């Protein structure tokens, strides 16, 4: 069962349809599935609900799908740094469901783990709690949050072996892990596909069962949102 | 003479203890990292999935795969570890982080905090702020005592949409420090910036507190 | 002539498809591993935290840190991965496992299964059986058609405490195979062991099924 | 802040009290915190509620604490292969709460993640559902399961660095990961403590925040419950 596809369009074939829900990995522009986003843009699929911590920036990441108006709704925790997003949102052309970052991560993990709902203290007494069921455990109030399942997950990894075992690199892991589990199908793009046996079985971040299709997306020109440095003191 | 931003951060840093795991918000709270007492081991958490935040990288060490929750490039330490967002917030929500220092627009006398919706501006989202105030063991707010227009920010009841209800343990402003021992007790004024009088603080505060 | 244990396992193995991730129970289900068709890639999951179970190890390769859910020593494959129990069952509960083959003491005509409490014996616990029948996409039960005392095991209603309600998709016994397309439909007799007649099956079964 | 202690008794000092709840890692005899169990036995603490997938076997693992009658209640998924357990259980001297294995793992992860309750399909319509709240999500019935928090977690790892970052080996990981997060304090025993910087930051299984105290428990004579082998075909 070959999981490796020649390119993003091939890997997404048969998986896209109007009005579908997509879970996308990444935090800001770090660890985002760029090639798959490009292919989704090129496919012209529309009316998408996209579950992603951020919405990219203008013309980067999911910003590309906003620009083409393919996204109808975002479920996110933070959507700053994006003018086109702001315009569509203020014009009422784009629906946005704000979800606390940790609740969002847990909702996707829960969806992928067969848990349709869980209780959390996050958001109690705030707008986030409006319309949600409350329950008291040991004298403390919690709200019920729902697991999220998507039609498709798109993620970005560092290396995968040919079986689909995947590892991430540094903080590019972020939401890729929970998002991968929430989709009926997960498609991954990675920087390198290595032969089976090259990765340490104890060091796999995402076991092969979650990765149904994959492509090598390299070379990547990784974008930095805020480049902050210190200077070396003169010797 | 009121405290400046760095002095406020230094005051918040006095609450650090050896072995603490800490999450620092954006703005003044970030400066707390520069004020960790010599010889004290404090591990900084970044909610995008890292324990052990190092300093900003040298120019030739910048790595796009290594950023903090503010999306700034950072460096790692020998003791660092990486994990996914679900694990990162399991730590936060589960009460494993000892302390967080956050900015705020308003704090109420009952410990409510508002820091995610700026009036008149587009809503950008709460990010991880609601998770932090709900989950971390001790919540310290660092903020100017009054807004630019002179309005008190430590007030009877928040006017802005809340980030968390009854969650704040300590408030450090440029004028004073308020603290409460638990979430049933009122705040108490425990410290004044040099040259600031209790009367001045009282005058510039609408929240009820013990002194 | 009724199927023997290995033939029953071989029949269950016909339900495997290329690329499947599969969990096999203890007893006859374990024999399914020996019947994976040549050239077909099937990955076996062990609920104590492993994907890609290899064969039993050679004597000099036995590793106490490498066991299956039955606590037997096993070996790893080049494609194996390890993870914690919480991740293992997130996979199972989340519907990521394509197929499980399990033994049973009773299956009801509505697809209920009982396989964790043996009457008259001490309760040892359900282990991962309840999680498997609740979470895996397709549930195949492999069991003798009748108990040692001759009582039918595919019956109108389970008498023993249930492991799962309305969960079984297919039953392979030594005499026949029953299947249903979904959990709203009744089981249908789809296959007979060589030399076994539909009448014999009907006589030895109290469950209602279509034929 | 030194996390390394000279021995198990020292690492547990001040943490034990009668009637406490302890979460213990391990699956069967694989990856069990042997040294810490010995020290708990020697401490004489009693009336324990122990949350552990299994209960050891006679005189191995938690079987040692059963023998000394220090355990009042077990929360487990499977307790076979233990005669003393059977005797105490049938005599009504030992309370047992059976919990499906996946639900047990998730309950401990949930407790450690600040989630007091979650819904699962596991056990619906069985004895496990008795007395539990039911809820329908999208037409399917689920039951509410509670997060578990303990006074203490005891786990067994492979290697730790001096900061308390920990890695496990093969299937000895099992319940050690979720159990570690569920306790107010987690004490770990490992085979080796290595200098900071020796472990790959991308390969840490249990970040240092969870490990408050640790000891080197080596050398270990690891027990095997069922030794199964194949024979080499003659050359």
């Amino acid at each position: 069962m070959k999981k490796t596809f020649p390119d993003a369009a091939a890997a997404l074939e048969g998986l896209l349809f109007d009005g579908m829900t997509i879970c996308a990995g990444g935090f800001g522009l770090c660890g985002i599935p760029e090639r798959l986003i490009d292919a989704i843009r090129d496919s012209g699929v529309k009316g998408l609900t996209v579950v992603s911590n951020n919405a990219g920036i203008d013309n980067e990441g999911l910003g590309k799908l906003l620009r083409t108006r393919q996204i109808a709704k975002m479920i996110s925790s933070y959507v700053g740094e994006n003018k086109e997003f702001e315009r569509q949102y203020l014009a009422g052309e784009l629906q946005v469901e704000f979800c606390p970052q940790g609740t969002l991560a847990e909702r996707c993990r829960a969806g992928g783990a067969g848990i349709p709902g869980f209780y959390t203290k996050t958001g109690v007494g705030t707008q986030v709690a409006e319309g949600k069921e409350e329950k008291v455990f040991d004298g403390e109030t919690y709200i019920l949050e729902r697991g999220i399942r998507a039609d498709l997950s798109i993620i970005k990894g560092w290396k995968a072996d040919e079986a689909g075992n995947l590892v991430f690199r540094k903080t590019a892991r972020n939401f890729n892990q929970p998002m991968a589990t929430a989709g009926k199908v997960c498609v991954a793009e990675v920087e390198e596909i290595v032969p089976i046996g090259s990765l340490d079985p104890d060091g796999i971040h995402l076991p092969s069962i979650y990765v149904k299709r994959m492509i090598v997306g390299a070379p990547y020109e990784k974008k930095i949102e805020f480049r902050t440095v210190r200077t070396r003191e003169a010797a | 003479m009121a405290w400046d931003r760095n002095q406020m951060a230094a005051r918040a840093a006095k609450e650090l203890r050896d072995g603490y795991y800490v999450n620092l918000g954006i703005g003044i709270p970030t400066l707390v990292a520069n004020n960790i007492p010599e010889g004290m081991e404090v591990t900084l958490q970044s909610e995008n999935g890292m324990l052990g935040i190092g300093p900003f990288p040298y120019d030739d060490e910048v790595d796009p795969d290594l950023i903090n929750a503010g999306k700034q490039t950072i460096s790692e330490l020998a003791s660092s570890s990486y994990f996914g967002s679900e694990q990162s917030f399991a730590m936060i929500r589960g009460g494993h982080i000892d302390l967080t220092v956050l900015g705020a627009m308003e704090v109420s006398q009952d410990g409510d905090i508002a820091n995610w919706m700026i009036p008149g501006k587009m809503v950008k989202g709460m990010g991880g702020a609601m998770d932090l105030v709900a989950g971390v063991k001790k919540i310290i707010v660092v903020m100017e005592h009054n807004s630019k227009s002179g309005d008190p920010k430590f007030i009877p009841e928040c006017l802005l949409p809340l980030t968390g209800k009854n969650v704040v343990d300590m408030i450090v402003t440029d004028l004073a420090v308020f603290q409460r021992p638990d979430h049933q007790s009122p705040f108490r004024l425990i410290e004044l910036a040099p040259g600031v009088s209790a009367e001045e603080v009282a005058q510039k505060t609408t929240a009820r507190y013990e002194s």
Side-chain angles (χ1 to χ4, degrees), chain A, chain B:
Chain A
M1 185 92 173
K2 230 176 134 41
K3 292 183 176 179
T4 309
F5 284 70
D7 58 41
L12 290 170
E13 203 180 305
L15 299 179
L16 303 177
F17 58 93
D18 290 351
M20 72 187 296
T21 298
I22 299 176
C23 276
F27 181 88
L29 299 181
C30 184
I32 55 170
E34 302 183 36
R35 303 285 172 265
L36 293 165
I37 290 170
D38 284 351
I40 289 171
R41 180 198 54 201
D42 297 345
S43 79
V45 68
K46 55 187 193 298
L48 302 175
T49 294
V50 179
V51 185
S52 168
N53 188 55
N54 312 99
I57 60 175
D58 289 300
N59 232 1
E60 289 297 339
L62 293 171
K64 294 179 181 179
L65 301 184
L66 285 165
R67 197 181 196 196
T68 52
R69 313 284 194 90
Q70 287 169 274
I71 299 178
K73 181 179 177 182
M74 290 287 316
I75 302 179
S76 303
S77 89
Y78 187 82
V79 295
E81 285 82 62
N82 195 323
K83 289 236 160 356
E84 176 62 18
F85 182 103
E86 198 164 332
R87 198 200 59 68
Q88 290 183 24
Y89 180 42
L90 294 175
E93 297 166 16
L94 178 67
Q95 231 187 307
V96 181
E97 178 185 332
F98 284 112
C99 179
Q101 193 171 149
T103 297
L104 184 64
E106 189 65 20
R107 287 179 68 190
C108 294
R109 183 207 175 263
I115 293 169
F118 61 90
Y119 291 95
T120 175
K121 236 170 24 183
T122 301
V124 170
T126 76
Q127 285 185 3
V128 163
E130 282 169 24
K132 286 175 188 157
E133 207 172 297
E134 292 192 350
K135 198 172 178 73
V136 174
F137 292 91
D138 304 325
E140 285 243 47
T141 301
Y142 296 80
I143 53 173
L144 176 64
E145 292 281 3
R146 297 293 309 270
I148 290 176
R149 298 213 83 152
D151 299 301
L152 173 69
S153 297
I154 53 172
I155 64 158
K156 159 75 166 56
W158 183 35
K159 290 182 187 177
D161 68 16
E162 284 157 351
N165 289 304
L166 205 146
V167 293
F168 302 98
R169 187 171 173 273
K170 302 187 189 287
T171 57
R173 191 183 320 183
N174 58 60
F175 273 87
N176 284 296
Q177 223 166 6
M179 291 301 181
T181 67
K184 279 179 204 148
V185 181
C186 170
V187 181
E189 60 180 89
V190 296
E191 302 183 29
E192 193 185 351
I193 293 178
V194 298
I196 286 176
S198 313
L199 301 176
D200 177 5
D202 273 324
I204 304 300
H205 297 141
L206 188 67
S208 65
I209 193 169
Y210 293 110
V211 179
K212 295 305 179 197
R213 302 182 184 186
M214 55 188 183
I215 59 159
V216 175
Y220 285 95
E221 186 205 329
K222 296 177 188 172
K223 302 283 194 330
I224 292 172
E225 277 188 79
F226 304 106
R227 185 187 180 93
T228 44
V229 297
R230 59 182 161 151
T231 41
R232 281 202 171 77
E233 287 169 41
Chain B
M1 199 185 65
W3 283 317
D4 63 18
R5 288 162 53 93
N6 198 53
Q7 287 167 324
M8 289 161 70
R11 177 55 191 87
K14 282 192 183 167
E15 303 302 315
L16 298 172
R17 298 289 175 270
D18 193 31
Y20 262 23
Y21 288 83
V22 174
N23 185 296
L24 300 177
I26 296 170
I28 305 178
T30 307
L31 302 174
V32 172
N34 306 331
N35 289 282
I36 298 171
E38 193 79 26
M40 187 182 283
E41 232 174 83
V42 170
T43 306
L44 301 179
Q45 200 244 20
S46 193
E47 63 257 37
N48 53 323
M50 182 188 195
L51 267 178
I53 306 180
F56 290 142
Y58 294 117
D59 194 63
D60 53 2
E61 290 174 351
V62 167
D63 185 340
D65 287 342
L66 184 40
I67 63 172
N68 65 18
K71 289 151 196 163
Q72 301 171 310
T73 48
I74 51 170
S75 67
E76 71 181 21
L77 305 171
S79 59
S80 296
S81 61
Y82 300 103
F83 33 83
S85 299
E86 83 293 353
Q87 172 68 272
S88 182
F89 284 93
M91 263 174 215
I92 291 170
R93 197 187 311 102
H96 301 279
I97 308 274
D98 297 292
L99 179 74
T100 186
V101 185
L102 297 166
M105 293 181 274
E106 296 174 348
V107 175
S108 83
Q109 63 194 23
D110 295 323
D112 302 349
I113 175 174
N115 73 348
W116 75 283
M117 284 175 68
I118 305 175
K121 288 202 183 171
M122 197 197 87
V123 184
K124 294 187 172 183
M126 68 293 281
M130 285 192 183
D131 307 282
L132 284 164
V133 299
V136 173
K137 277 185 207 149
K138 182 169 181 173
I139 316 288
I140 302 181
V141 166
V142 176
M143 64 178 186
E144 302 294 330
H145 201 91
N146 296 89
S147 72
K148 277 170 193 152
S149 53
D151 294 329
K153 299 176 71 174
F154 182 31
I155 54 186
E157 209 165 319
C158 291
L159 305 170
L160 296 170
L162 297 186
T163 307
K165 202 165 173 56
N166 189 11
V167 294
V168 177
D169 296 289
M170 182 181 239
I171 307 163
V172 177
T173 76
D174 50 332
L175 303 184
V177 181
F178 303 88
Q179 195 181 26
R180 57 178 184 163
D182 56 62
H183 290 184
Q184 284 73 55
S185 306
F187 282 93
R188 176 184 289 273
L189 174 66
I190 60 160
E191 210 173 315
L192 293 164
V196 174
S197 68
E199 291 67 36
E200 181 184 346
V201 170
Q203 219 173 41
K204 294 183 169 172
T205 312
T206 52
R208 186 173 42 75
Y209 59 87
E210 296 185 344
S211 50

